[in-house]
Amino acid sequence: MSAYLKKLQGVSPVLTNVAQGYAPNQFIAERVFPVVSMEGITAKFPIHGKAAFEEYETRRATGAASNIITLDGNDWGEVTLEEHDLAAGVDWIEEKAAYFSRQAKASRRVKDGVLLRNEITVADLVQSVSSYASGHSKTLSGQGQWSDQANSDPLADIDTAKDKIADAVGLRPNIMVVGAEVLKSLRYHPKLQAQLGANERKRLSLDILKDLFELDEIIVGESRVAANGKFAKVWGKNVSLQVRGFNTAGQPADEGNPSFGYTFRLRGLPFVDTYDTEGKKVEMVRYTDVKKALVVGGKCGYLLKDVVA
């Protein structure tokens, strides 16, 4: 834990554990942009070139000197973390009267609020053409949209996107991020069904779709935000193919590997603390995180916009 956190008064390990252990599955932001821990508020991250894919002479004749290469230098980007917090009040008499802990409920509610804000931030980044390198996006229309199941071809669209990323960074994307409406159009798409045997044609599961598109994971965004008395979808009718720079064991990849985005977080966060209001009859339960979601490799992704009507 960071030194300044150890000095904080009122941090509640119990409430922090309640909040951290509570993980609503509608939030996908940190699956899409995995967490990288930082020791300070500001740090630099490498911007990768193509040196890892250069061809070298490796054969060595008996008695000859070793083949020596010069390590490439990196260009660098910079990230400055931002503090996010939210608090909710619990009246002491409510805590005494409630069958379930109102403090625990408050810790979950304020965590949800911070996570939803982060979800919206990451969704905006992933679904914005400006996050991607030039030529790494395409807007579908008319018969090309996957909702036109007689004429569209999702497999061809995805293969084109994968080739574009591989040509740019030397790696094929390993994840696909889709809005829930997109998934509905893929479930029974005839071009995808045709890849299966006649006796296997059915509602396509995520596992089957993952195999058809040759990806490690398909991540579906289903979260909603209340706006003007109605629910609006955070993740729209879009598809993002990405190189995610973490391996299957969930450990950080080598810095030489590209990645589309990361969530940079101050080590030791998040935490929950409490503080009294004036009069000390209402205790505030507060969730704090210090982080920044950032696109670090625009060439490591490809965006398909408006894939369904």
Side-chain angles (χ1 to χ4, degrees):
M1 180 174 291
S2 303
Y4 93 95
L5 288 179
K6 296 179 181 178
K7 299 177 182 178
L8 287 174
Q9 300 298 313
V11 173
S12 169
V14 173
L15 292 178
T16 297
N17 288 338
V18 167
Q20 290 180 340
Y22 172 71
N25 59 14
Q26 72 265 31
F27 298 131
I28 64 170
E30 291 183 13
R31 291 170 59 196
V32 178
F33 284 10
V35 173
V36 174
S37 294
M38 290 176 45
E39 297 298 337
I41 299 297
T42 301
K44 292 184 177 182
F45 57 87
I47 299 174
H48 306 293
K50 298 181 179 178
F53 301 96
E54 290 183 9
E55 180 182 5
Y56 299 106
E57 177 57 62
T58 61
R59 185 174 54 187
R60 174 184 172 272
T62 302
S66 292
N67 299 295
I68 297 174
I69 66 172
T70 301
L71 292 177
D72 61 308
N74 284 314
D75 291 329
W76 297 90
E78 189 169 285
V79 57
T80 299
L81 304 186
E82 301 169 343
E83 180 177 354
H84 297 265
D85 86 327
L86 205 59
V90 178
D91 194 292
W92 77 276
I93 197 67
E94 289 181 332
E95 181 68 17
K96 292 293 185 183
Y99 186 74
F100 297 105
S101 171
R102 298 280 293 176
Q103 282 191 337
K105 179 178 180 179
S107 69
R108 293 191 292 267
R109 182 65 58 82
V110 294
K111 176 183 179 178
D112 276 358
V114 174
L115 288 180
L116 178 58
R117 178 64 263 172
N118 186 61
E119 187 83 359
I120 294 168
T121 297
V122 171
D124 287 345
L125 288 171
V126 169
Q127 298 177 114
S128 173
V129 171
S130 62
S131 294
Y132 298 78
S134 176
H136 282 237
S137 64
K138 180 181 180 181
T139 300
L140 303 186
S141 61
Q143 293 183 338
Q145 290 179 299
W146 297 352
S147 46
D148 185 339
Q149 300 205 335
N151 296 292
S152 62
D153 192 344
L155 283 170
D157 292 333
I158 295 300
D159 281 344
T160 298
K162 291 164 68 176
D163 288 343
K164 187 71 174 181
I165 295 171
D167 289 343
V169 300
L171 294 173
R172 290 189 175 275
N174 50 8
I175 67 169
M176 182 166 78
V177 185
V178 304
E181 287 184 83
V182 176
L183 182 62
K184 289 193 295 184
S185 287
L186 291 175
R187 294 285 197 190
Y188 296 99
H189 198 288
K191 290 282 197 320
L192 301 179
Q193 292 278 346
Q195 301 298 310
L196 306 177
N199 295 328
E200 298 177 301
R201 296 185 183 180
K202 56 187 176 181
R203 177 179 179 271
L204 301 179
S205 68
L206 282 177
D207 284 339
I208 293 174
L209 291 171
K210 181 180 68 175
D211 290 341
L212 289 174
F213 290 125
E214 298 180 312
L215 297 162
D216 289 345
E217 189 174 8
I218 295 177
I219 304 173
V220 183
E222 300 199 47
S223 51
R224 289 170 168 78
V225 60
N228 300 321
K230 297 181 180 180
F231 281 115
K233 295 180 177 67
V234 174
W235 298 92
K237 303 173 182 180
N238 310 302
V239 171
S240 174
L241 278 297
Q242 298 177 22
V243 175
R244 183 176 58 187
F246 271 47
N247 62 31
T248 54
Q251 298 299 316
D254 180 86
E255 67 164 15
N257 293 334
S259 184
F260 181 71
Y262 283 121
T263 301
F264 296 93
R265 170 176 281 141
L266 188 63
R267 191 177 301 278
L269 275 288
F271 68 84
V272 177
D273 68 346
T274 60
Y275 63 96
D276 287 327
T277 58
E278 185 177 354
K280 298 187 176 182
K281 286 195 171 182
V282 176
E283 186 174 43
M284 304 301 293
V285 178
R286 176 172 54 191
Y287 180 90
T288 300
D289 204 353
V290 179
K291 61 185 177 182
K292 178 75 172 182
L294 197 66
V295 173
V296 300
K299 293 181 180 179
C300 297
Y302 192 102
L303 179 66
L304 291 165
K305 294 277 290 183
D306 300 337
V307 298
V308 296

